[in-house]
Amino acid sequence: MAVLPIHCYEHEALRRAADPITDIDDEIRRLAADMRETMLAFEGLGLAAPQVGVSRRLFILHHNLLPEAEEPRVFINPELEPAGEPYIDREGCLSLPELYGRVKRHSRVTLRAVDLEGRKLELELALLAARAAQHEFDHLEGVMFVDHLAKGQRMLLRGRLKQLAARTAQGWLRRLEDEQRK
Ligand code: ZN
């Protein structure tokens, strides 16, 4: 298992719709294991495959968000059914280091997916867990949280977004060893 580098705004992997997974093979199992290590090392609550540069429909969520989970859970080819009142809360993203914004999300969702064994999953999630599922699902559609921000907020972040996009365009990736050196 390995901690992978995080691909940041505006890497092209983050800006296209990811491909469905037709075969849960060794490559997918290795990807999921590496993503788990990566999410825990970077202290994220979730991670989607495009964030490690892989354009496949898979994300993981931290066990702290989920009922009766002791390990991060893997969601393959997920589908979301939103419910509940929309509400606004603060959001961040490993692909947008040190940037935060207030994003409107549904307060509840039904998350359907398959796991690494190909078993069907269906979870009812609320509040922070529902928010994280919507955030990770967005990554599979090429959407990032800053796309949802109100115009005024986006304006405030504009300079830092531009800077980040420029670093990414030069080939920069967010690596754990660089952050540990800080
Ligand atoms: Zn994210």
Side-chain angles (χ1 to χ4, degrees), residues 29-87:
R29 276 187 284 274
R30 191 174 322 115
L31 171 66
D34 288 346
M35 283 173 59
R36 173 192 178 281
E37 289 296 295
T38 305
M39 179 187 74
L40 295 175
F42 281 94
E43 299 180 349
L45 287 177
L47 189 68
Q51 293 183 275
V52 294
V54 179
S55 195
R56 307 300 298 275
R57 299 188 81 81
L58 181 158
F59 66 69
I60 61 174
L61 291 177
H62 196 288
H63 39 291
N64 287 353
L65 293 172
L66 301 171
E68 293 163 43
E70 281 166 15
E71 281 291 309
R73 288 187 77 174
V74 179
F75 301 94
I76 295 171
N77 296 333
E79 298 287 344
L80 282 188
E81 196 181 304
E85 287 296 303
Y87 79 110

Side-chain angles (χ1 to χ4, degrees), residues 46-48 51 92-96 135-136 139 144-145:
L47 189 68
Q51 293 183 275
C93 177
L94 292 178
S95 297
L96 289 155
H135 177 116
E136 300 311 333
H139 278 306
M144 300 184 79
F145 86 76

Side-chain angles (χ1 to χ4, degrees), residues 97-142:
E98 291 162 46
L99 287 168
Y100 298 92
R102 294 178 60 75
V103 182
K104 192 193 271 185
R105 300 282 189 191
H106 294 277
S107 58
R108 289 185 292 119
V109 294
T110 304
L111 169 59
R112 295 188 185 90
V114 296
D115 67 11
L116 281 174
E117 279 75 45
R119 290 181 298 229
K120 281 188 182 172
L121 302 170
E122 182 172 322
L123 277 82
E124 303 288 336
L125 302 175
L127 301 169
L128 184 57
R131 175 170 293 276
Q134 290 166 87
H135 177 116
E136 300 311 333
F137 184 83
D138 269 358
H139 278 306
L140 306 184
E141 296 292 316

Side-chain angles (χ1 to χ4, degrees), residues 9 99 152-167:
Y9 181 93
L99 287 168
Q153 261 202 87
R154 228 193 135 132
M155 287 282 282
L156 288 174
L157 298 179
R158 199 170 56 179
R160 292 167 70 192
L161 287 173
K162 234 177 134 174
Q163 225 171 29
L164 186 55
R167 288 185 80 185

